[in-house]
Amino acid sequence: MPPISKTSKPASQCTHPTLCYTTTHHAQKAGYVRPTLSQRLAAATPAGTFTTPLPKYSNPDPNSYPDTDPNSSSESDTESKLYPAPLVLPGSEISLYPQARGQSLRGWLRNGNVNRVTEERKVIYISLPPGYGEGVEAMRGWTVPVGFGDANQGMGKGKGKEKGRGGNRGNGKRMGMGLDYELVARYVGVFYHGLEVKVLPEGEFAWLIDEDGNGNRDSEDPAAQEKRKGKSRAKTKGNSKARSRSRAVLDFENDPRIGLRSSSSNEYTTIRSRPTPNYPYSNQLNLNDILDFAIASLPDDAYALLMLLEHDLYEDEEDEFVCGRAYGGSRVAVVSGARYWPGFDEEENVERVHGWPASHCDGYLETVLDDDKPKSGRKKEGDVKKRVVVGVEANGGIERATPLQRTLKVYAPPKTPKALTLLHIARLARTASHELGHCVGIAHCTYYACIMQGSASLAEDARQPPYLCPVDEAKVLRATGKGVVSERRMESWRRERLVAMRQFCKNVVEEWGVDGGGSMFECLEKWVEALLEREGEGSEREEKKQERVVIDLTMDE
């Protein structure tokens, strides 16, 4: 992608003085009722029941859950400061589907359609963006935003002579995004720690001219539908009636016919395309066709196949774009980085200053909810109480810093072109992990702020965290744990995964130098670090408590 010469919005002086760990008052208006603390804790257990003491892997701070009423406000606040509630804002996924029930660990375990890791199928394959065969070179231009052919144009939408032409190929600069997709693959390997991740050889998949001439095949063909299993809602999808527009002039006439071929399996699928109904790319590719190709190209030992793409995607004629989709039951996922380019942030109302973790900033949420306040102009009594309880100094001045506060000590919106590139990679890595979560059989989360939440817009996507909540973490641990079943061993496996994630993020920050500072990777490193420290302290307290009990019993004898 061309470098970005300015940020999406004017620099903000917000220091995020107070944070919100609960749902906003819009949740009640939307009809969303968050599960109680006991229900959330029960959802992370195999039996689906709340017990005391809690298993360590689902109890981030053993000292936080004494033998008191699990629904007491103090206990709920303590838990929420470790794992905040989902941000329910106008237009968010949960506000659109407020009655959707979260998937518990018990529900996941009892689902017979969930793919299980076996000795025969235990590898996550990741394919890099396909190469270009003879005759389809014009497709390279489809990955360049309209009006951005000249790398010095900055980040405006562009209205120059390049519009509709796929960019200027005569300036000697590489077309497309040029992202470090290997970094995305390494992140996936750590996120699904325990599973082998293999990157398919470059050129394994390639775009070709569709020799069959079947470019307008019916996407609703019953046979094609039968192949697709476990279809999830799109992670981020733009909906608008497709508007007609003159087709871009391409090297293969005005009606491009495209196919996708695998060099090793010789699988071939026709891929439909269309002119993009709105900015910023000249053409889009059909997501359903690409998913069909992925299903047909699954290696024999694949647990799942993730295809990374540079091109903009659409799913049906009614939507504007889609960023990713998984057919979980079919073990395939497709993710495009096209819409995640930071140059579009202003147009898509994506907040960089208040992206995660700053998305929990009280002041920011108040501005978002300005039009959603009670007509009287006063906050409801319950809302005021929540702010007093959970609104603490972001720098941890009142009490020991929470994991979220620790992230905000290092968080900084990207300011350099290289830092913006890392932001682009981070967004792609987060969505890749989300879509592969559907291949593991995980549904959209409604319990916590969690990477497995659904998102209804790019703006909402940027507000969501990169970590797993306790409920979905329990599912991933069992999917990747190679038969680990005892709670003691499960805790050890969980800690091993967290330590690996912390070290990976630390390495990324070191590799990127000053441009890695304040990035999602450094914030995630600090979040995991704070969580591990709290758990370590809790374990030490538990061991000392048990030691005192033994001494007391000895004295009684």
Side-chain angles (χ1 to χ4, degrees):
M1 279 290 185
I4 301 171
S5 61
K6 61 179 181 179
T7 58
S8 61
K9 291 184 181 295
S12 171
Q13 299 301 316
C14 182
T15 58
H16 323 300
T18 60
L19 303 177
C20 178
Y21 294 86
T22 64
T23 55
T24 65
H25 64 72
H26 178 76
Q28 183 177 4
K29 181 177 180 180
Y32 168 73
V33 179
R34 191 187 184 201
T36 63
L37 174 62
S38 59
Q39 289 172 335
R40 298 195 297 271
L41 298 177
T45 65
T49 57
F50 172 73
T51 59
T52 304
L54 293 172
K56 287 186 178 181
Y57 72 88
S58 61
N59 181 357
D61 186 355
N63 196 48
S64 297
Y65 302 101
D67 294 333
T68 58
D69 179 7
N71 288 313
S72 67
S73 60
S74 61
E75 293 306 305
S76 182
D77 291 338
T78 300
E79 183 246 14
S80 291
K81 287 178 183 178
L82 296 176
Y83 292 97
L87 294 174
V88 183
L89 298 174
S92 65
E93 176 89 357
I94 290 180
S95 69
L96 296 175
Y97 304 97
Q99 304 303 321
R101 295 184 61 185
Q103 178 196 48
S104 67
L105 173 61
R106 184 172 184 265
W108 179 81
L109 289 170
R110 291 166 64 90
N111 186 348
N113 294 322
V114 170
N115 297 308
R116 308 298 178 187
V117 176
T118 66
E119 284 301 316
E120 293 74 27
R121 293 178 175 176
K122 58 182 180 181
V123 180
I124 294 178
Y125 283 92
I126 299 180
S127 70
L128 305 180
Y132 298 91
E134 185 178 355
V136 296
E137 291 83 358
M139 287 183 67
R140 297 179 184 273
W142 296 3
T143 66
V144 177
V146 169
F148 290 84
D150 185 343
N152 296 318
Q153 282 186 355
M155 56 168 286
K157 285 175 65 176
K159 299 180 180 179
K161 61 182 180 181
E162 299 298 325
K163 187 170 183 177
R165 300 282 180 172
N168 180 5
R169 290 182 291 159
N171 57 16
K173 297 185 180 294
R174 185 187 184 279
M175 303 293 285
M177 298 176 186
L179 297 179
D180 184 356
Y181 293 100
E182 295 282 353
L183 175 55
V184 176
R186 287 190 287 135
Y187 181 82
V188 168
V190 176
F191 193 92
Y192 292 99
H193 179 69
L195 294 183
E196 184 179 2
V197 173
K198 292 183 179 179
V199 178
L200 292 174
E202 189 171 0
E204 169 65 21
F205 298 154
W207 305 111
L208 303 169
I209 289 181
D210 178 26
E211 299 174 354
D212 296 338
N214 191 26
N216 294 317
R217 68 177 192 162
D218 185 5
S219 65
E220 302 306 321
D221 176 67
Q225 285 187 328
E226 180 64 24
K227 289 192 297 181
R228 305 169 189 157
K229 299 178 182 179
K231 182 178 180 180
S232 64
R233 275 203 299 271
K235 170 66 173 169
T236 301
K237 182 173 182 176
N239 293 305
S240 70
K241 183 76 174 179
R243 297 181 292 277
S244 62
R245 194 181 87 181
S246 59
R247 187 176 293 275
V249 179
L250 303 165
D251 287 352
F252 42 114
E253 305 302 332
N254 292 332
D255 184 22
R257 293 176 298 175
I258 304 161
L260 191 54
R261 184 181 297 280
S262 168
S263 62
S264 61
S265 67
N266 212 33
E267 289 292 342
Y268 179 85
T269 302
T270 296
I271 309 297
R272 287 165 295 167
S273 68
R274 73 174 187 184
T276 306
N278 199 354
Y279 98 106
Y281 297 96
S282 62
N283 293 70
Q284 297 174 310
L285 301 176
N286 185 268
L287 174 62
N288 289 324
D289 294 346
I290 297 172
L291 283 163
D292 287 343
F293 170 81
I295 294 171
S297 303
L298 267 173
D300 293 336
D301 62 341
Y303 175 70
L305 169 62
L306 168 68
M307 291 185 63
L308 299 175
L309 299 178
E310 295 180 320
H311 289 84
D312 202 24
L313 305 174
Y314 75 99
E315 197 164 21
D316 55 56
E317 294 303 324
E318 296 301 312
D319 64 60
E320 186 175 331
F321 70 90
V322 63
C323 292
R325 170 80 77 187
Y327 288 156
S330 299
R331 301 178 287 127
V332 297
V334 171
V335 175
S336 166
R339 295 280 172 155
Y340 289 129
W341 185 48
F344 302 144
D345 286 357
E346 184 173 3
E347 185 74 24
E348 297 292 342
N349 296 315
V350 175
E351 259 273 6
R352 283 196 209 141
V353 172
H354 288 99
W356 182 85
S359 53
H360 289 266
C361 171
D362 235 354
Y364 162 66
L365 294 175
E366 288 296 332
T367 62
V368 175
L369 294 170
D370 269 346
D371 297 331
D372 197 56
K373 290 180 179 178
K375 296 299 182 180
S376 63
R378 289 173 47 193
K379 294 180 182 177
K380 297 180 181 178
E381 182 179 350
D383 293 331
V384 175
K385 182 179 179 181
K386 284 183 180 179
R387 293 303 181 213
V388 172
V389 171
V390 304
V392 298
E393 292 185 12
N395 292 325
I398 295 178
E399 58 185 44
R400 179 178 56 173
T402 66
L404 191 60
Q405 290 168 329
R406 287 279 287 273
T407 65
L408 283 169
K409 288 183 178 180
V410 299
Y411 173 72
K415 297 180 179 179
T416 67
K418 189 176 178 181
L420 287 164
T421 296
L422 186 59
L423 173 64
H424 193 173
I425 294 172
R427 290 172 174 176
L428 185 60
R430 188 174 55 191
T431 299
S433 300
H434 172 100
E435 296 300 344
L436 282 171
H438 291 313
C439 293
V440 176
I442 303 175
H444 281 163
C445 181
T446 60
Y447 294 103
Y448 298 89
C450 173
I451 191 175
M452 288 310 300
Q453 281 181 258
S455 62
S457 66
L458 292 169
E460 182 181 12
D461 190 272
R463 294 193 293 260
Q464 295 174 349
Y467 59 77
L468 289 161
C469 74
V471 179
D472 291 327
E473 181 186 48
K475 301 167 192 173
V476 169
L477 291 174
R478 282 165 173 76
T480 61
K482 300 178 181 178
V484 175
V485 291
S486 71
E487 298 308 329
R488 185 174 181 180
R489 294 182 64 194
M490 189 67 72
E491 168 62 15
S492 175
W493 181 247
R494 174 179 179 273
R495 190 172 183 85
E496 181 180 321
R497 175 184 176 273
L498 288 174
V499 170
M501 177 62 76
R502 179 182 62 182
Q503 187 59 49
F504 172 83
C505 291
K506 182 178 181 180
N507 292 343
V508 171
V509 173
E510 291 177 351
E511 290 171 10
W512 285 71
V514 65
D515 297 300
S519 66
M520 182 199 81
F521 297 101
E522 185 173 28
C523 290
L524 183 55
E525 175 198 348
K526 297 304 179 184
W527 186 88
V528 172
E529 182 177 87
L531 200 62
L532 289 172
E533 286 179 5
R534 281 176 170 257
E535 292 178 358
E537 293 172 5
S539 297
E540 290 175 4
R541 285 192 296 267
E542 190 68 24
E543 290 173 3
K544 290 180 180 179
K545 179 181 177 181
Q546 293 174 358
E547 183 179 350
R548 285 196 300 270
V549 170
V550 172
I551 292 174
D552 289 341
L553 290 174
T554 303
M555 292 175 65
D556 287 341
E557 291 178 353

